């Protein structure tokens, strides 16, 4: 009835699902009303998630009509009464279900696992409905209550340290559909990713994606150690390595353009500037695209080299971060030098090339851990100081790495120097 809105919401259905077989008065109530029992409930919900994330979107009324009511009710009823009723919501579980039914033995753990999966499925479904309806109603990015549906992508060998267990989850929020990022990257080659690999790859990809010109970024322990932009991506790669070749060894290399055969050969054969002999070793290469020949060359560099193909992060993402017993939430930091107007407050006016270097250094500093200092010239980093409690110490580290090339370079800091008067760095 009601154009199909009411089909399964009926005592003949839910009585047969919810009746406990070990309760005499339950079975008597069914017999009195001529209601049979259900042993297996298999439900495919209305495809709400696919509909509201489809290309071109969906009209509000159509979205409402794709919210399943009877399906979740049957799933929840069967999951609650899982002792007597098997509930299946995933076609991947059909073979296991058939084997269980053929076996003739009762396994309560199997039933509980299906019940857990059913409740989790309904919870994720409802979170999608809630997220969509909130955006249609209020528009505020930070709702009073929030549920984030996560789906296990892989179990990891260990966490940040060897004694920590770890796993990697993909965010299934509607806002993350086709939004890009390392979580949905395709791995073409290499060892399985580790906890720290994901952190470093994410840092490298977020940094390199900020630049409009062909750029190479090399990251170690989530900090960029070399960044260079050039029309010739091979030159950009060499300069990024040269910025700090010791740190770059064993790091993550990211590009914001396609890796072709020529670039792949350069990555494979390039020798460390420290001795001119040792081939550079990397944990991960990440880029938006690869040619087939480029992939073949990189696969030949190392059996363990992880090759990732990622899509650039969309702007306007929701950026949460966990603290003890809570979460912080903010907009993603999408601001780049193109989005702001620089004010010159010095008597000497910078030349266009100097201002360009300042913008480049400033954008790099955004991705360096505070206290952050970046020295750059000709769209190439010369030295970085990161993660020091004292900003002067970060400055000293950056200057030491830059060496004699520091003359005429631009310096960027992620905050002001809180020291009165003049100071001297020795």
């Amino acid at each position: 009835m009601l154009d199909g809105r009411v089909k399964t919401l009926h005592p003949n259905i839910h009585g047969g699902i919810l009746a406990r077989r070990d309760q005499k008065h339950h079975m008597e109530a069914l017999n009195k009303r001529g209601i049979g029992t259900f042993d297996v409930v298999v439900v495919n919900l209305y495809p709400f998630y696919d509909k509201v994330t489809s290309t071109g979107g969906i009209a509000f009324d159509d979205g409402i009509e794709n919210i399943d009511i009877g399906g979740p009710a049957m799933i929840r009823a069967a999951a609650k009464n899982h002792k007597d009723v098997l509930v299946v919501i995933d076609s991947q579980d059909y073979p296991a279900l058939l084997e269980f039914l053929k076996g003739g033995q009762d396994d309560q753990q199997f039933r509980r696992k299906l019940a857990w999966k059913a409740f989790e499925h309904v919870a994720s479904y409802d979170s999608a409905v809630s997220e969509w309806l909130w955006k249609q109603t209020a528009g505020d990015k930070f709702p009073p209550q929030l549920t984030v549906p996560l789906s296990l992508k892989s179990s990891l060998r260990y966490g940040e340290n060897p004694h920590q267990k770890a796993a990697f989850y993909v965010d299934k929020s509607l806002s993350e559909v086709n939004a890009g990022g390392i979580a949905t990257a395709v791995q073409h080659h290499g060892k399985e990713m580790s906890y720290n690999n994901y952190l470093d790859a994410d840092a490298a990809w977020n940094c390199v994606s900020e630049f409009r010109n062909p750029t190479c970024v090399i990251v170690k322990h989530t900090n960029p150690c070399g960044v260079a932009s050039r029309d010739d991506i091979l030159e950009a790669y060499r300069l990024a390595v040269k910025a700090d070749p010791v740190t770059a060894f064993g790091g993550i290399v990211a590009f914001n353009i396609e890796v072709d055969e020529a670039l792949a050969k350069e990555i494979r054969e390039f020798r460390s500037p420290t001795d001119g002999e040792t081939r550079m070793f990397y944990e991960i290469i990440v880029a938006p695209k690869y040619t087939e020949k480029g992939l073949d060359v990189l696969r030949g560099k190392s059996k363990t080299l992880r090759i990732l193909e990622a899509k650039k992060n969309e702007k306007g993402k929701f950026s949460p971060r966990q603290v003890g017993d809570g979460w912080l939430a903010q907009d993603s930091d999408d601001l780049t030098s193109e989005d702001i107007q620089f004010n010159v407050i010095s008597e000497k006016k910078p030349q266009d090339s100097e201002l360009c270097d300042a913008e480049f250094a400033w954008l790099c500093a955004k991705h360096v851990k505070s206290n952050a200092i970046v020295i750059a010239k000709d769209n190439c980093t010369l030295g970085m100081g990161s993660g020091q409690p004292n900003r002067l110490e970060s400055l000293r580290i950056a200057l030491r790495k830059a060496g004699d090339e520091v003359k005429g370079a631009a310096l960027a800091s992620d905050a002001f120097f809180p020291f009165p008067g003049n100071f001297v760095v020795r």
Side-chain angles (χ1 to χ4, degrees):
M1 60 184 298
L2 304 182
D3 299 322
R5 282 192 167 198
V6 179
K7 294 186 288 286
T8 60
L9 297 171
H10 193 284
N12 285 358
I13 299 291
H14 286 270
I17 296 174
L18 283 165
R20 294 176 59 182
R21 313 302 197 262
D22 60 354
Q23 296 293 318
K24 184 180 178 180
H25 65 286
H26 280 205
M27 302 310 295
E28 289 175 346
L30 293 189
N31 291 332
K32 182 178 180 181
R33 294 166 176 80
I35 299 174
T37 59
F38 291 98
D39 298 319
V40 181
V41 173
V42 182
V43 178
N44 296 306
L45 298 176
Y46 291 171
F48 176 83
Y49 190 94
D50 294 335
K51 290 288 186 180
V52 298
T53 58
S54 61
T55 303
I58 188 172
F60 180 78
D61 288 344
D62 289 338
I64 292 296
E65 290 306 312
N66 274 279
I67 300 175
D68 203 323
I69 302 300
M74 286 193 294
I75 291 173
R76 290 174 61 86
K80 179 176 181 177
N81 200 27
H82 64 270
K83 181 181 178 181
D84 297 313
V85 183
L86 291 159
V87 57
V88 180
I89 48 82
D90 185 354
S91 60
Q92 296 296 317
D93 291 325
Y94 292 172
L97 172 66
L98 292 174
E99 288 299 316
F100 178 84
L101 294 173
K102 291 175 183 177
Q105 294 182 349
D106 199 8
D107 182 352
Q108 285 298 314
Q109 288 301 317
F110 179 72
R111 289 176 175 274
R112 288 176 185 176
K113 185 176 180 180
L114 290 180
W116 162 82
K117 195 169 184 177
F119 278 118
E120 179 60 35
H121 183 63
V122 173
S124 295
Y125 189 89
D126 286 344
S127 73
V129 174
S130 173
E131 181 185 353
W132 176 78
L133 196 55
W134 174 258
K135 290 181 179 178
Q136 302 295 319
T137 305
D140 191 339
K141 179 161 279 189
F142 306 109
Q145 287 84 34
L146 180 65
T147 301
V148 179
L150 302 177
S151 177
L152 180 67
K153 182 175 183 179
S154 61
S155 296
L156 306 178
R157 298 192 305 276
Y158 55 86
E160 188 173 2
N161 299 293
H163 65 277
Q164 294 174 276
K165 294 182 179 180
F168 185 57
Y169 289 84
V170 175
D171 190 339
K172 303 298 288 186
S173 300
L174 298 178
S175 59
E176 290 294 327
V177 175
N178 297 321
I182 286 298
T184 54
V186 176
Q187 183 171 351
H188 291 290
H189 180 72
K191 289 174 61 178
E192 64 183 37
M193 294 281 285
S194 71
Y195 183 95
N196 291 324
N197 287 155
Y198 276 115
L199 288 177
D200 288 340
D202 184 60
W205 184 240
N206 289 341
C207 183
V208 79
S209 296
E210 297 265 40
F211 295 88
R212 295 184 178 181
N213 296 324
T215 300
C216 174
V217 171
I218 304 178
V219 161
K220 195 74 165 287
H221 301 303
T222 70
N223 270 304
C225 61
V227 182
S229 295
R230 287 291 186 278
D231 291 335
D232 181 358
I233 193 62
L234 273 70
E235 183 184 1
Y237 165 66
R238 297 185 197 110
L239 290 171
V241 177
K242 183 183 175 184
D244 191 345
V246 175
T247 304
F249 195 87
I252 286 76
V253 184
F255 300 94
N256 62 353
I257 66 170
E258 182 179 67
V259 175
D260 60 12
E261 184 179 13
L263 178 54
K265 286 181 176 179
E266 187 70 14
I267 297 169
R268 185 186 67 185
E269 301 297 335
F270 191 69
R271 265 52 174 180
S272 172
T274 56
D275 61 14
E277 296 180 1
T278 305
R279 284 185 180 179
M280 293 299 295
F281 163 76
Y282 304 116
E283 291 279 354
I284 301 169
I285 305 292
V286 56
K289 196 175 180 181
Y290 299 83
T291 65
E292 282 301 320
K293 289 186 176 180
L295 274 177
D296 289 341
V297 171
L298 289 177
R299 289 188 181 111
K301 180 175 175 63
S302 168
K303 292 181 179 179
T304 62
L305 177 65
R306 301 162 183 86
I307 304 173
L308 303 182
E309 182 175 324
K311 179 185 174 184
K312 182 178 178 180
N313 279 310
E314 296 290 338
K315 291 188 175 183
K317 280 192 171 187
F318 178 79
S319 180
R321 183 171 182 176
Q322 190 172 16
V323 296
D325 293 330
W327 291 82
L328 293 167
Q330 63 178 354
D331 287 324
S332 57
D333 185 1
D334 300 323
L335 197 67
T336 66
S337 55
E338 288 85 2
D339 301 320
I340 64 173
Q341 179 66 45
F342 283 81
N343 296 319
V344 178
I345 60 173
S346 59
E347 293 183 3
K348 179 182 177 181
K349 303 301 180 184
Q351 299 178 8
D352 289 343
S353 60
E354 293 173 324
L355 187 57
C356 182
D357 285 340
E359 292 176 354
F360 179 88
W362 184 80
L363 192 54
C364 292
K366 172 181 174 180
H367 295 273
V368 177
K369 297 296 182 291
S370 193
N371 286 307
I373 297 292
V374 174
I375 299 173
K377 183 165 59 176
D378 298 330
N379 286 333
C380 175
T381 56
L382 303 177
M384 294 185 183
S386 63
Q388 301 300 309
N390 186 322
R391 189 169 300 278
L392 285 177
E393 193 60 34
S394 289
L395 176 60
R396 293 186 181 98
I397 293 171
L399 287 170
R400 185 173 68 250
K401 289 183 177 181
D404 296 336
E405 293 185 77
V406 71
K407 186 176 181 180
L411 183 149
S413 171
D414 66 341
F416 69 98
F417 287 91
F419 303 102
N422 298 322
F423 57 86
V424 178
V425 177
R426 298 186 184 277

